[in-house]
Amino acid sequence: MDPILLVLATLDGIAYAALVFLVAVGLTLIFGVMRILNVAHGAFYAIGGYAAASLVLSISDADFSPWLSFPALLVAAMGVGAALGLVIERFLLRHIYAKEEVLQLLVTFAAFMILEDVQRLVWGVQPYSATDPVRLLGTVDVMGIPYNAYQIILLPVIAVMVLLGLRWFLRRTLSGKVITAVTEDRETAIAMGIDARKVFTVTFVIGAVLAALGGALASPTTAIQLGLGAEMIVLSFAVVATAGLGQVEGAALAALLIGLGRSFAVYLVPELDVLVPYMIMVLVLLFRPQGLFAVAEKRRI
Amino acid sequence: MNGLLKLSIAMALTLYAGVAAADKPDTLTIGITGFLSGPASVFGEPAKAASEILLDDLNREGGVGGVPVTAIWVDEGAGGEHVLSEYRRLVQDVGVDAMFASISSGNCKKVAPLAEDLQVLNIMWDCGTQKIFEENSYRYVFRTQANATPEMLSTLLYLLKTKPEFESIAVVNQDYAWGRDSWHIFSTALKQLKPGVRVVAELFPKFGAPDFSTEISRLLALRPDVILSTSWGGDLDNFVRQSVQRGLTERSTFVLPLMESSLQRIGLDMPEGVIVGGRGDHYFLHPEFRHDPEFQAFIERYKAETGEYPIYPVFHIAQALSALKGAYEKAIAANDGAWPGKEQVVDAMEGLEFRGLGRTVYIREDHQGVEDQMIGVTRRDPAYDFAVMDHMMIFPGSAITTPAGMDSTAWLETLSDSILDLPVQTYRHAE
């Protein structure tokens, strides 16, 4: 392979991985703490995207400075994530924590489908797009090929910041350590007086905000349309399963692996482009059924 | 005795007429399948909105032969099985007089044999696969618009006429039947009419893919003279926007045969000089009809009610409704003014000529519609906040549609350069 193409494929892979990581890390965090595979995560992603696109469009309609679209992306993600996360955790998930896993999966799947219809009702069927942030940052030339600075600089920087921020939060702050404790051993943590309910709520909201942030950050580069949430939940599940459920750093590496795998496929064997993420997942799971980074599960009595 | 014989003959004749002429119904009901959910609802919803306006107009003018028409919509987005069971229900339980199905070519293929079983008139109002009438023949199934072959061939002819010097091409199509089939048609004709063009990349990203960055990087490095994409909906919006952002549209000539349906959404991001089409002569500024009062009235009403200008599925549903009306009127005339039976309406469809919102279309003996194709190139007009079409060419459908009874691939392989001399009308955009 031509060394120039090698660099191009790597850049494309990193930009793609950054977005996938943001969504997958929320999914894996929620699973790690609550042991619930939240299918509605895909809907948080889509609604975050819709809300961000609407907000950015209304900013440009109102003739405010287009630079306000950057904080708008953040505001939309936090608003959507916090509101949806709180409501769904409080009124739906709280009733099913003690139920079977299959039921939990079905309930979040039902929530996902209801939220898909909500998107249809609120935003209609036409794709939404707000490209201001990409245009503002312009392009950078890499060996004669123009790249969006938004995609190859801003997105990876945000992904790394989220990764480092989460590491710091989970390891260095009290709330983070409490969450880690519940992840490691729920029964003991509760016995020590940790309010697992509160931990669940906080974790779920953080996870939901991350999903919405993924959608919000995707909205300048892609049209937000019906069906986008389903696409993302499948892909981020592949990332999470490859990494090992509940692994934050693992999710970053798996996202990178899958992002690079996909972009190299487009250059070398474009026919396999769609398959590559899942081939990587199957290969990893064949040899490490718990995922790449999963630590052996402690025996639970 | 003689008198008695005459009387019985007269009675027999009356009885016979009674069989041929059905009772005039209170309403004529049609079932329409279209996407009202999922990505393809960008086509279904405009068609549905248009059908309401068109039926309102039609019924105000007395309906079809004095009978008002109502439509029942079925969502194709709920899946092929749902479409089939709803189709059955509408025909057998509700007793619809005709079905319009469908947008998806896959659904058209499933529905066609079912229409034969149920003996119901089925108008394929939007689907594009050319294979339906090339691989089978049906009594009850008709298509009131062109198919993929003339749509792709006209696009290629426009490219060859306006950019004859290109040497390399890349394709980026959605990875499903339409994306694959349309490239097969285009590339077969290309090999025939301009052998020696290098195909530098054949990319089929997943249907619904949100991000084409990698494909775009690769195309930027390959620098093909022409990039073809038959994608539509959000996929096309994304591909075009992301290509514009990265400067790909400046390096290569883009050819986008379904772009007419995305122009308003892309807005002023759309560069000038992109070759675009709309699956027929479908355009809200149709150069031959834009000053026609009826055409104008429809466009204005549609714009007032939906906030958008109509796109090609609107024109397709108008053609289907116009064909239905035409068939009933033809059958009524053939029936000496009496209301026709269902079989008589089906008989009337063959050879029917009708006009929706574009040029006249006719139904061939194999039930395929023959429709002219318009291709143009984008340009800006300050009167619109999106790109409009310029240098439009209208290709005659009869010359670019596979002859009845022939397979498209086999026919395309017989094409010669003489097709490039086809007389076409060219129109400039009038500001």
Side-chain angles (χ1 to χ4, degrees):
Chain A
M1 190 176 177
D2 190 335
I4 294 181
L5 294 185
L6 199 77
V7 174
L8 299 184
T10 308
L11 283 176
D12 287 321
I14 290 173
Y16 187 70
L19 267 185
V20 175
F21 164 72
L22 285 175
V23 188
V25 74
L27 190 68
T28 206
L29 189 69
I30 290 172
F31 184 85
V33 176
M34 307 164 75
R35 301 281 141 180
I36 285 182
L37 188 61
N38 177 32
V39 181
H41 207 69
F44 299 163
Y45 172 82
I47 294 178
Y50 272 120
S54 307
L55 202 57
V56 170
L57 285 176
S58 55
I59 284 175
S60 70
D61 281 348
D63 282 331
F64 289 128
S65 159
W67 289 96
L68 281 176
S69 55
F70 289 97
L73 297 179
L74 211 61
V75 168
M78 310 255 271
V80 164
L84 280 180
L86 274 177
V87 169
I88 288 188
E89 201 277 336
R90 175 67 191 81
F91 294 103
L92 201 60
L93 298 186
R94 198 165 278 188
H95 302 287
I96 56 161
Y97 286 138
K99 300 279 197 297
E100 281 175 68
E101 282 165 2
V102 176
L103 186 81
Q104 295 174 340
L105 195 67
L106 286 177
V107 167
T108 62
F109 187 45
F112 172 79
M113 293 204 288
I114 293 169
L115 289 173
E116 284 258 292
D117 277 342
V118 169
Q119 292 160 39
R120 227 177 91 77
L121 285 174
V122 177
W123 284 282
V125 299
Q126 297 291 334
Y128 267 64
S129 197
T131 53
D132 273 354
V134 172
R135 213 188 343 249
L136 285 172
L137 292 187
T139 55
V140 280
D141 266 30
V142 181
M143 293 184 288
I145 305 294
Y147 275 90
N148 291 325
Y150 182 89
Q151 279 176 296
I152 61 158
I153 299 173
L154 186 69
L155 289 184
V157 165
I158 291 180
V160 170
M161 276 165 51
V162 165
L163 176 63
L164 295 179
L166 270 179
R167 269 181 73 116
W168 173 80
F169 172 71
L170 292 174
R171 295 183 183 181
R172 299 267 179 269
T173 67
L174 182 63
S175 324
K177 283 180 180 168
V178 168
I179 291 178
T180 314
V182 176
T183 314
E184 300 263 312
D185 193 333
R186 192 190 298 181
E187 283 85 356
T188 315
I190 294 171
M192 299 288 224
I194 289 176
D195 182 356
R197 263 195 176 186
K198 209 170 121 194
V199 169
F200 280 16
T201 311
V202 170
T203 310
F204 196 75
V205 169
I206 294 177
V209 167
L210 285 171
L213 183 65
L217 290 175
S219 69
T221 64
T222 185
I224 305 296
Q225 58 175 331
L226 292 176
L228 195 64
E231 148 102 8
M232 206 53 176
I233 189 69
V234 175
L235 191 66
S236 44
F237 180 71
V239 168
V240 170
T242 307
L245 288 155
Q247 299 300 312
V248 171
E249 291 88 346
L253 278 170
L256 203 56
L257 200 63
I258 281 176
L260 289 174
R262 189 186 154 271
S263 67
F264 275 88
V266 173
Y267 282 89
L268 300 172
V269 263
E271 287 295 313
L272 295 186
D273 147 29
V274 180
L275 270 180
V276 161
Y278 308 102
M279 278 163 57
I280 293 176
M281 179 179 81
V282 168
L283 268 177
V284 166
L285 295 185
L286 273 180
F287 296 100
R288 291 189 62 103
Q290 301 288 322
L292 275 180
F293 303 96
V295 279
E297 184 118 335
K298 285 187 206 98
R299 196 164 70 95
R300 285 166 193 254
I301 303 162
Chain B
M1 194 65 200
N2 203 2
L4 202 63
L5 186 69
K6 268 184 189 163
L7 188 68
S8 49
I9 290 172
M11 274 174 69
L13 279 175
T14 323
L15 264 175
Y16 175 74
V19 169
D23 282 338
K24 200 167 178 168
D26 296 333
T27 51
L28 201 63
T29 313
I30 47 174
I32 309 179
T33 68
F35 285 91
L36 305 177
S37 62
S41 51
V42 296
F43 297 140
E45 290 287 357
K48 183 163 182 273
S51 73
E52 282 154 15
I53 297 174
L54 291 163
L55 286 177
D56 182 49
D57 283 347
L58 179 70
N59 290 336
R60 208 158 350 113
E61 287 159 17
V64 170
V67 177
V69 184
T70 57
I72 302 170
W73 277 79
V74 173
D75 182 12
E76 285 183 67
E81 288 307 311
H82 174 80
V83 168
L84 287 183
S85 65
E86 281 296 286
Y87 194 103
R88 230 174 238 290
R89 186 181 70 80
L90 285 178
V91 175
Q92 293 181 319
D93 300 346
V94 179
V96 296
D97 297 283
M99 287 296 296
F100 291 2
S102 54
I103 289 181
S104 145
S105 286
N107 284 341
C108 273
K109 282 184 183 167
K110 286 181 203 146
V111 151
L114 181 61
E116 294 290 295
D117 280 353
L118 301 175
Q119 302 188 333
V120 63
L121 169 62
N122 186 85
I123 290 179
M124 301 197 300
W125 68 274
D126 189 64
C127 60
T129 176
Q130 78 286 2
K131 292 177 183 163
I132 296 260
F133 297 123
E134 289 179 8
E135 291 173 358
N136 286 292
S137 70
Y138 296 101
R139 167 160 170 76
Y140 294 93
V141 183
F142 300 85
R143 180 174 1 229
T144 50
Q145 82 279 358
N147 64 42
T149 305
E151 288 166 19
M152 287 303 109
L153 186 54
S154 56
T155 309
L156 174 64
L157 292 178
Y158 189 93
L159 177 65
L160 291 171
K161 278 171 178 284
T162 56
K163 304 259 174 189
E165 70 290 348
F166 75 99
E167 285 168 2
S168 57
I169 188 168
V171 62
V172 185
N173 282 0
Q174 290 150 313
D175 190 12
Y176 80 115
W178 163 250
R180 300 271 173 182
D181 290 351
S182 57
W183 172 238
H184 174 74
I185 294 168
F186 191 95
S187 57
T188 306
L190 177 65
K191 259 178 236 146
Q192 196 63 29
L193 297 177
K194 193 168 162 64
V197 171
R198 277 179 308 122
V199 177
V200 293
E202 293 173 281
L203 303 173
F204 293 92
K206 185 176 153 183
F207 183 86
D211 178 61
F212 299 93
S213 307
T214 316
E215 285 82 359
I216 290 168
S217 300
R218 189 169 171 216
L219 294 172
L220 282 164
L222 286 168
R223 292 176 176 268
D225 294 331
V226 171
I227 294 173
L228 170 76
S229 177
T230 66
S231 303
W232 48 263
D235 292 21
L236 178 60
D237 297 7
N238 281 332
F239 180 59
V240 170
R241 273 214 190 84
Q242 292 166 10
S243 298
V244 172
Q245 286 169 351
R246 304 273 302 275
L248 183 58
T249 45
E250 288 157 33
R251 291 195 186 183
S252 303
T253 298
F254 271 56
V255 178
L256 310 169
L258 268 71
M259 189 66 211
E260 179 265 350
S261 57
S262 281
L263 283 176
Q264 294 172 67
R265 284 196 303 269
I266 300 283
L268 294 176
D269 286 348
M270 189 75 198
E272 297 195 316
V274 172
I275 296 174
V276 298
R279 296 192 58 202
D281 61 332
H282 309 315
Y283 184 37
F284 78 101
L285 293 173
H286 194 300
E288 291 169 353
F289 302 107
R290 60 181 294 188
H291 297 299
D292 174 66
E294 231 174 277
F295 183 84
Q296 267 181 342
F298 173 78
I299 304 287
E300 273 162 28
R301 182 163 170 205
Y302 183 91
K303 172 88 167 103
E305 290 191 12
T306 65
E308 310 283 337
Y309 291 104
I311 56 172
Y312 81 73
V314 167
F315 293 77
H316 276 168
I317 201 79
Q319 280 163 221
L321 284 169
S322 164
L324 184 79
K325 180 168 180 272
Y328 267 92
E329 282 167 357
K330 188 173 156 192
I332 290 170
N335 211 18
D336 296 328
W339 190 259
K342 284 192 174 183
E343 296 297 324
Q344 290 172 308
V345 179
V346 173
D347 289 337
M349 281 295 291
E350 208 175 301
L352 184 73
E353 284 194 20
F354 56 94
R355 230 207 97 209
L357 293 159
R359 283 188 177 179
T360 302
V361 179
Y362 71 91
I363 302 284
R364 229 163 46 173
E365 68 269 26
D366 63 345
H367 297 189
Q368 170 61 51
V370 178
E371 183 190 33
D372 295 351
Q373 298 290 319
M374 183 166 84
I375 307 288
V377 70
T378 52
R379 71 168 269 187
R380 294 281 168 75
D381 176 346
Y384 298 94
D385 57 359
F386 54 88
V388 295
M389 280 201 238
D390 197 7
H391 295 290
M392 293 159 273
M393 288 184 190
I394 303 185
F395 296 85
S398 54
I400 54 172
T401 308
T402 310
M406 264 192 101
D407 170 72
S408 274
T409 309
W411 178 66
L412 291 170
E413 282 167 354
T414 66
L415 289 184
S416 70
D417 289 349
S418 62
I419 197 164
L420 282 165
D421 304 326
L422 201 67
V424 290
Q425 269 124 315
T426 308
Y427 295 92
R428 294 299 308 267
H429 172 69
E431 291 204 3

